[in-house]
Amino acid sequence: MVAPVRSIVIVGGGTAGWLTAGVIAARHRSRIEAGEFSVTLIESPNVPIIGVGEGTWPTLRTTLSKIGVSETDFFRECDAAFKQGAKFARWTTGAPADAYYHPLMLPQNFSQINLAPHWLAADDGKSFCDAVCPQGLICDDGLAPKTIATPEFDAVANYAYHLDAGKFADFLRRHCCGTLGVQHVLADVREVLQTETCDIAHLVTEQAGTIGGDLFVDCTGFRALLIGQTMGVGFKPLGDTLFCDTALAVQVPYADPHAPIASHTISTAQSAGWIWDIGLPTRRGTGYVYSSAHIDDEAAERELRAYLGSAADGLDVRKIPIHAGHRETFWRGNCVAVGLAAGFLEPLEASAIVLIELSAKLIAEQMPACREVMDVIASRFNATTHYRWGRIIDFLKLHYALSQRQDSDFWQDNQREETWPDRLRELMLLWRHHSPWFHDEFDRVEEVFPPASYQYVLYGMNFRTEVDRTALAQDARVAVKAMNDNAAQAQRLLGRLPRHRDLINKIVTHGLQAI
């Protein structure tokens, strides 16, 4: 007999659980309303969320729009701000003026021409970001990526968000339960019962009895109750590639409630890692991500407090372990892991929430009609998810591999090629002679990092590609026009866009135009 998949059970709340619930429920809303499908989220009333994932990708705009939330409500209820990219300070040489941007806008005319070789050939002292994209200048001026007249989720300059992770999870919970028909059960799972074929059959809870389902989504965080403890899927550590294994986090209030809000993440390199600095309307979320093999906790806290200065006086820091790595497989039987249960990498490029989004989207779009086809879909899900994790690992390591810092063992160890992933090592060789472009194995429809991201980091960190000036001659006019157009666009935007805090205040007071 064919066993239809009609009951989805998500174990664990937080951003992972509620975002997954929202994406699945929105995709299958008509089936839920017809009583043919259900999404149930079981959340422990006794387990707090990690709550430090405050950076996102532009994909979240599409996700929030698709699940039907208001961007105005999101800003009002999640202490949200705009994110237009990341500024990396002291990563290349460690000098005070050493900084570059990884913006969220693509280079000018990116689908028509690769401007990187032309910028290299010009060698005119202008940064790569400023030569091909206006967003670094927008961030330097503290401007927002849109105006109050721009409709919800639309952009003048591409953007993501900074947010309060705890408030975001609660915001999603209210929307999922009140609008999308997700069933919420507050209960602690005490036992997982399996079938003879090792599928999960039922969850035995302390407060709500026994709960069954057809597909179970593990969002239990590092505990990995279902995928790890029950299904026996192992964990692949990555500490030999990505050394950071600890974070110290602290929330810093503004001395002046009207202080400017940075519209980008600031990542400042330290002796054994880096400090994140994320501006929200009411506070800054900050922390030091570091390698415990290269610095002890006390010294790390001193570096963090030195960075923050008097703003950190009297504030306590919270220590968070980082289990760098991921599951050996992500979907086994009728259980799929999402969020920290699937794995975690240091938040250098804010990849945690986008991996949740992408996984939830795959599950929702490829929802198996019956148990008989689930293993086929699981195999495809695993292949895609492994690919995505691999590309994120490559990209994170790139930031360290390119550093020229020699002031500590941490930076020297990261520059040793034997710590680089094989694919990254090959690409680094290729990029000595060819600037990153679509032919460099960036062949997936949903690449997590496009070639432009690699260009921004490579050339922001003084990497040089050999240029065949003769080959560039035929596109020279197009390249000059594109870079001139970019300079003109930058001037227009600098004169048009509002201050970041001013726009947030207007959104909270008046709201954005609904789509």
Side-chain angles (χ1 to χ4, degrees):
M1 293 182 63
V2 174
V5 173
R6 294 178 176 172
S7 174
I8 312 304
V9 178
I10 300 167
V11 183
T15 300
W18 287 113
L19 199 52
T20 301
V23 171
I24 294 175
R27 176 78 178 190
H28 298 275
R29 189 172 182 180
S30 61
R31 297 175 66 194
I32 292 173
E33 292 173 347
E36 300 172 352
F37 192 83
S38 67
V39 178
T40 302
L41 188 144
I42 304 172
E43 184 175 26
S44 170
N46 303 307
V47 178
I49 66 171
I50 297 294
V52 294
E54 298 184 330
T56 66
W57 285 18
T59 51
L60 188 60
R61 286 161 47 208
T62 301
T63 298
L64 293 179
S65 178
K66 283 188 175 180
I67 68 175
V69 305
S70 157
E71 190 174 34
T72 296
D73 290 343
F74 167 71
F75 269 88
R76 288 172 174 167
E77 298 182 37
C78 299
D79 200 18
F82 292 101
K83 172 187 172 181
Q84 299 190 70
K87 183 177 183 179
F88 293 91
R90 303 193 174 191
W91 278 78
T92 307
T93 65
D98 166 22
Y100 72 95
Y101 280 104
H102 174 195
L104 297 182
M105 292 178 71
L106 294 173
Q108 193 81 18
N109 293 2
F110 187 64
S111 61
Q112 282 80 44
I113 185 171
N114 183 359
L115 291 176
H118 297 274
W119 170 80
L120 287 163
D123 195 21
D124 58 4
K126 181 177 287 189
S127 74
F128 177 70
C129 177
D130 287 350
V132 304
C133 166
Q135 202 150 33
L137 296 173
I138 294 171
C139 290
D140 282 340
D141 271 18
L143 304 180
K146 62 194 294 181
T147 73
I148 193 64
T150 313
E152 289 195 335
F153 301 114
D154 281 359
V156 175
N158 195 22
Y159 68 87
Y161 307 105
H162 290 145
L163 52 82
D164 182 310
K167 291 181 179 179
F168 184 50
D170 196 48
F171 173 75
L172 291 171
R173 175 188 60 78
R174 294 193 301 274
H175 181 71
C176 287
C177 296
T179 303
L180 298 178
V182 175
Q183 301 170 33
H184 186 203
V185 178
L186 281 170
D188 293 290
V189 176
R190 295 305 182 200
E191 186 178 3
V192 182
L193 303 178
Q194 293 179 267
T195 67
E196 292 181 356
T197 59
C198 295
D199 272 3
I200 296 174
H202 297 89
L203 306 175
V204 180
T205 72
E206 182 175 324
Q207 297 92 337
T210 300
I211 299 173
D214 302 315
L215 175 63
F216 292 82
V217 184
D218 188 346
C219 295
T220 61
F222 292 130
R223 185 184 176 198
L225 172 64
L226 304 184
I227 197 73
Q229 295 182 35
T230 301
M231 304 302 285
V233 175
F235 185 82
K236 180 181 179 181
L238 292 165
D240 57 346
T241 298
L242 298 172
F243 304 151
C244 291
D245 60 2
T246 312
L248 298 178
V250 58
Q251 296 178 357
V252 181
Y254 292 108
D256 177 357
H258 304 292
I261 305 170
S263 62
H264 53 279
T265 302
I266 302 168
S267 171
T268 304
Q270 303 295 309
S271 69
W274 54 277
I275 290 174
W276 79 79
D277 197 334
I278 288 175
L280 300 183
T282 59
R283 62 170 173 82
R284 290 158 59 200
T286 66
Y288 186 6
V289 180
Y290 59 93
S291 164
S292 63
H294 294 86
I295 193 172
D296 60 41
D297 296 344
E298 291 75 18
E301 184 171 344
R302 285 196 297 272
E303 288 192 14
L304 176 59
R305 291 189 180 277
Y307 171 86
L308 294 171
S310 61
D313 289 350
L315 299 178
D316 294 327
V317 301
R318 178 162 61 114
K319 182 179 176 180
I320 303 167
I322 294 176
H323 306 287
H326 57 75
R327 293 289 151 189
E328 293 173 351
T329 193
F330 305 96
W331 189 331
R332 175 173 289 178
N334 67 338
C335 175
V336 55
V338 176
L340 297 178
F344 185 67
L345 303 171
E346 61 181 88
L348 184 62
E349 287 284 354
S351 57
I353 291 179
V354 76
L355 281 168
I356 295 168
E357 291 180 75
L358 293 172
S359 294
K361 183 171 180 281
L362 267 182
I363 296 167
E365 292 179 350
Q366 301 186 14
M367 181 63 62
C370 57
R371 179 62 185 88
E372 284 69 15
V373 300
M374 190 178 291
D375 292 340
V376 176
I377 291 172
S379 177
R380 296 166 62 186
F381 178 94
N382 287 329
T384 298
T385 306
H386 271 292
Y387 178 85
R388 286 170 171 163
W389 278 88
R391 301 299 70 76
I392 291 174
I393 293 162
D394 288 345
F395 193 63
L396 296 184
K397 187 64 177 184
L398 177 68
H399 297 67
Y400 295 103
L402 290 170
S403 179
Q404 300 165 20
R405 292 182 60 150
Q406 297 294 315
D407 53 306
S408 72
D409 290 342
F410 174 82
W411 294 103
Q412 293 180 37
D413 289 346
N414 266 296
Q415 293 163 42
R416 290 188 289 109
E417 291 193 22
E418 59 266 30
T419 71
W420 303 357
D422 291 342
R423 183 177 182 274
L424 177 61
R425 192 180 302 113
E426 293 175 354
L427 287 172
M428 290 279 278
L429 176 60
L430 175 66
W431 292 333
R432 292 288 177 192
H433 306 277
H434 303 277
S435 179
W437 196 234
F438 294 105
H439 53 69
D440 296 343
E441 299 182 38
F442 300 106
D443 55 357
R444 301 294 180 100
V445 172
E446 289 186 319
E447 283 287 349
V448 284
F449 292 104
S453 292
Y454 286 86
Q455 290 183 356
Y456 284 129
V457 175
L458 285 167
Y459 303 126
M461 296 187 71
N462 297 336
F463 185 88
R464 286 296 177 265
T465 302
E466 292 182 11
V467 176
D468 184 343
R469 296 175 184 271
T470 303
L472 294 179
Q474 62 181 358
D475 292 328
R477 285 186 180 180
V478 177
V480 168
K481 183 180 185 304
M483 287 192 267
N484 287 339
D485 288 346
N486 174 71
Q489 181 188 21
Q491 291 307 307
R492 288 195 303 272
L493 294 180
L494 291 175
R496 171 188 176 193
L497 293 170
R499 308 293 296 177
H500 188 201
R501 183 178 285 280
D502 291 346
L503 178 59
I504 293 173
N505 289 341
K506 285 184 178 180
I507 292 171
V508 171
T509 303
H510 304 292
L512 288 162
Q513 176 186 338
I515 297 176

